[in-house]
């Protein structure tokens, strides 16, 4: 053994994402944007307040509700965000079937040396975020079965890869 106890992180779903967003919003309201790690203590709980109740447009007064985010949940969300931002694959390695299923391309042979040096040859392996916002004229030239993911060349700040 390696002397470490490994556990499965909780899944990052809509509920955890909402809780993390509320926690971040509470930090910003206090003038903070970062909270240091707690030394790996998975039991640590971040206490925060959030507003609940009817929207201000309905004339009601929102009430404060105490919530908590565990270090384990925070770590799971952070790992998820890193995976989302950094999981990249070479263009053409995966294809989109007519059934909207993404599968490995059996005919993919790799990139040439010149292609491997171009950022346009790499795509994020995630649900597209920016592709839908491209003008139709730009999307028309893309091969729908192999260029269905966001290119890392479009990442901000430019040159980050």
């Amino acid at each position: 053994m390696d002397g470490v106890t490994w556990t499965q992180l909780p899944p990052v779903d809509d509920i955890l994402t909402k809780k993390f967003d509320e926690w971040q919003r509470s930090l910003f309201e206090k003038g903070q944007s970062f909270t240091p790690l707690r030394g790996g203590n998975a039991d640590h709980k971040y206490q925060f307040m959030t507003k609940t109740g009817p929207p201000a447009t309905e004339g009601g007064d929102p009430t404060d509700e105490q919530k908590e985010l565990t270090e384990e949940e925070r770590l799971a969300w952070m790992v998820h965000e890193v995976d989302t931002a950094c999981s990249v694959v070479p263009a053409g390695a995966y294809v989109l079937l007519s059934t909207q299923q993404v599968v490995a391309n059996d005919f993919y042979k790799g990139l040439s040396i010149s292609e491997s040096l171009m950022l346009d040859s790499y795509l994020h392996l995630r649900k597209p975020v920016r592709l839908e916002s491209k003008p139709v004229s730009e999307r028309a030239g893309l091969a729908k079965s192999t260029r269905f993911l966001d290119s890392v060349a479009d990442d901000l700040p430019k040159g980050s890869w």
Side-chain angles (χ1 to χ4, degrees), residues 53-122:
T57 56
E58 293 180 8
D61 290 329
T63 58
D64 287 338
E65 180 182 343
Q66 175 132 0
K67 291 190 176 181
E68 61 185 32
L69 179 77
T70 65
E71 181 67 14
E72 184 179 45
E73 290 171 328
R74 183 175 101 140
L75 179 62
W77 189 88
M78 292 173 76
V79 168
H80 170 75
E81 286 297 298
V82 169
D83 281 348
T84 299
C86 299
S87 294
V88 296
V89 294
Y94 288 86
V95 293
L96 181 65
L97 302 179
S98 60
T99 60
Q100 301 300 304
Q101 185 179 13
V102 178
V103 297
N105 184 353
D106 292 334
F107 300 103
Y108 180 71
K109 301 292 182 205
L111 298 173
S112 69
I113 291 174
S114 61
E115 288 174 325
S116 69
L117 299 174
M118 298 184 314
L119 283 180
D120 282 336
S121 297
Y122 298 94

Side-chain angles (χ1 to χ4, degrees), residues 20 23-24 26-28 30-39 44-47 69 71 74 78:
F20 191 87
W23 177 67
Q24 273 192 318
S26 76
L27 287 177
F28 290 135
K30 292 190 279 186
Q32 296 177 311
S33 60
F34 175 75
T35 299
L37 297 175
R38 298 294 181 203
H44 180 79
K45 292 182 170 91
Y46 299 91
Q47 307 276 330
L69 179 77
E71 181 67 14
R74 183 175 101 140
M78 292 173 76

